[in-house]
Amino acid sequence: MEPSSNFSGDAAWIKRFEQAIEQNLSSTFLTNYHLAKAMEISNSHLVRKVKKLTGITPNQYVRQYRLDAALKFLQEGTYITVRQTASAVGFINVGYFNRKFTARFNISPFQVLKNNGWR
């Protein structure tokens, strides 16, 4: 098997994993168990595979994916409040969402809304 074939398979697997996240983006109860079930693999295999392919745990990957989606929503004005945006990407606690968002992007969610003319 050629290395590019394996890379292609890995990229396709990650794309499927991201689709599973996307389908449950607003769910506050998205767990490794749910993702493993969607991917039709065991929970432990999910953790190993995501860690191997991305270098981070599934929980970390999901959080980053959610935050990236939130950034896009805020930039596009999809939601006009930080609370609505946090809820749309599966965060219950807005304070926690603010901290994680600011840590990832070095800008607050509110500032993104403001910079893009939505507030």
Side-chain angles (χ1 to χ4, degrees), residues 9-118:
D10 291 346
W13 192 90
I14 287 293
K15 186 169 179 74
R16 277 187 50 232
F17 181 62
E18 288 178 346
Q19 288 170 340
I21 297 169
E22 186 67 35
Q23 290 171 350
N24 298 285
L25 189 62
S26 64
S27 173
T28 56
F29 301 106
L30 183 60
T31 64
N32 287 351
Y33 171 80
H34 292 103
L35 290 168
K37 190 173 178 183
M39 298 300 291
E40 300 176 342
I41 59 176
S42 72
N43 194 24
S44 57
H45 189 225
L46 175 83
V47 173
R48 282 192 306 272
K49 182 113 176 164
V50 172
K51 184 92 169 165
K52 177 184 165 221
L53 296 178
T54 67
I56 58 178
T57 67
N59 289 338
Q60 291 168 320
Y61 195 91
V62 168
R63 185 179 321 115
Q64 286 182 6
Y65 190 93
R66 288 177 191 246
L67 291 171
D68 291 345
L71 177 63
K72 182 178 174 233
F73 290 156
L74 292 166
Q75 288 172 332
E76 294 174 353
T78 306
Y79 301 99
I80 58 169
T81 69
V82 173
R83 181 175 302 282
Q84 288 173 335
T85 305
S87 179
V89 296
F91 284 85
I92 297 172
N93 184 316
V94 178
Y96 178 75
F97 169 74
N98 275 316
R99 285 190 304 277
K100 292 300 180 182
F101 187 96
T102 302
R104 179 152 172 82
F105 301 113
N106 288 326
I107 187 171
S108 74
F110 183 78
Q111 193 62 49
V112 173
L113 280 173
K114 196 172 171 184
N115 288 353
N116 288 282
W118 305 114

